Amino acid sequence: MPEIDLGVTPLRELNGALHKLPKDTNETHWVIDNPAGGHAIAAGLDAPLTVEVNGPVGYYCAGMNKLATVQIRGSAGVGVAENMMSGFVHVSGDASQAAGATGRGGLLRIDGNASSRCGISMKGIDIVVKGSVGHMSAFMAQAGNLVVFGDAGDALGDSIYEARLFVRGGVKSLGADCIEKEMRDEHKAAVHDILTRAGINGQIDPSEFKRYGSARKLYNFNVDHAGDY
């Protein structure tokens, strides 16, 4: 099991070594110490690895992740798991802005709070936030699921497409074309499945969440709705 101390090894050298690994590598478990808020740690992974980062990270940690499991034992800066394709990213602390932005697949779990624009333009990723999310979360969210145990800030789901938003707490305000929708059994089952995959099923009853999604009025420009754009 490779153990890398970023107080000694340059970050570029670490990422280079991770990128060179083939999908059938035997070096599947990596431990990274002393990240010290470094940027783009374990970004662009493309193999079924497990990477443990022992400490806080800067922006774009685990960005463009594919196949890998990345455990961040601390807080994460802007854009954690940005453009994620598959795999699992787990932040044990808080996350800054744009967590999971443009993600196309995989699952992002944040145990603390997420700042503004969590899940912006998400395209298939599933995001679970055990705390609250900031303003403009799920802005232009196209597909996937955002599950929030706490509260949501202003303009949740602004200009949303077909992503599904599940919030257990309060919502300060809904963005353009985002409305509350009925929480049917199929949606409770979906939340149950997501929480199971995130490893936190059983902590909260899926029926405690409310569902939000698109009113489908802004898909095409209509002069009657010009003031909503």
Side-chain angles (χ1 to χ4, degrees):
M1 180 174 65
E3 296 187 32
I4 306 297
D5 184 345
L6 287 181
V8 177
T9 303
L11 176 57
R12 185 183 294 271
E13 184 177 318
L14 165 67
N15 281 343
L18 291 171
H19 293 165
K20 291 177 182 177
L21 293 171
K23 288 184 173 62
D24 60 352
T25 180
N26 291 322
E27 294 183 313
T28 58
H29 193 166
W30 292 63
V31 176
I32 301 172
D33 293 321
N34 297 313
H39 304 312
I41 294 173
L45 299 184
D46 190 19
L49 310 173
T50 295
V51 178
E52 300 179 45
V53 185
N54 293 320
V57 297
Y59 56 70
Y60 300 127
C61 181
M64 301 177 289
N65 188 63
K66 187 177 181 181
L67 301 175
T69 294
V70 180
Q71 169 75 57
I72 301 165
R73 294 193 171 90
S75 295
V78 173
V80 64
E82 177 263 349
N83 203 35
M84 183 174 175
M85 304 300 287
S86 61
F88 179 53
V89 177
H90 180 187
V91 181
S92 64
D94 297 323
S96 188
Q97 300 181 55
T102 72
R104 293 179 176 273
L107 194 150
L108 169 62
R109 168 180 165 178
I110 300 168
D111 289 349
N113 299 312
S115 187
S116 59
R117 297 175 176 84
C118 179
I120 182 173
S121 195
M122 53 193 284
K123 297 176 174 67
I125 188 174
D126 291 326
I127 302 175
V128 177
V129 181
K130 294 183 72 176
S132 298
V133 297
H135 68 271
M136 295 291 287
S137 289
F139 171 61
M140 292 189 70
Q142 297 174 36
N145 300 278
L146 172 62
V147 180
V148 181
F149 284 29
D151 302 325
D154 275 321
L156 175 70
D158 189 83
S159 303
I160 191 172
Y161 289 82
E162 289 304 307
R164 299 184 298 187
L165 315 180
F166 302 97
V167 182
R168 180 171 176 257
V171 175
K172 192 167 184 181
S173 69
L174 295 174
D177 211 40
C178 186
I179 59 173
E180 183 177 348
K181 295 189 170 185
E182 180 184 2
M183 186 72 173
R184 299 193 296 269
D185 287 343
E186 64 193 87
H187 305 117
K188 296 173 186 177
V191 171
H192 178 275
D193 174 67
I194 294 166
L195 297 184
T196 298
R197 289 189 286 114
I200 48 179
N201 185 40
Q203 295 186 14
I204 291 182
D205 185 344
S207 64
E208 295 181 20
F209 291 86
K210 293 182 179 179
R211 180 172 71 104
Y212 303 89
S214 176
R216 302 187 177 98
K217 293 182 179 178
L218 298 184
Y219 276 18
N220 301 291
F221 180 79
N222 185 320
V223 69
D224 294 332
H225 300 293
D228 295 330
Y229 289 91

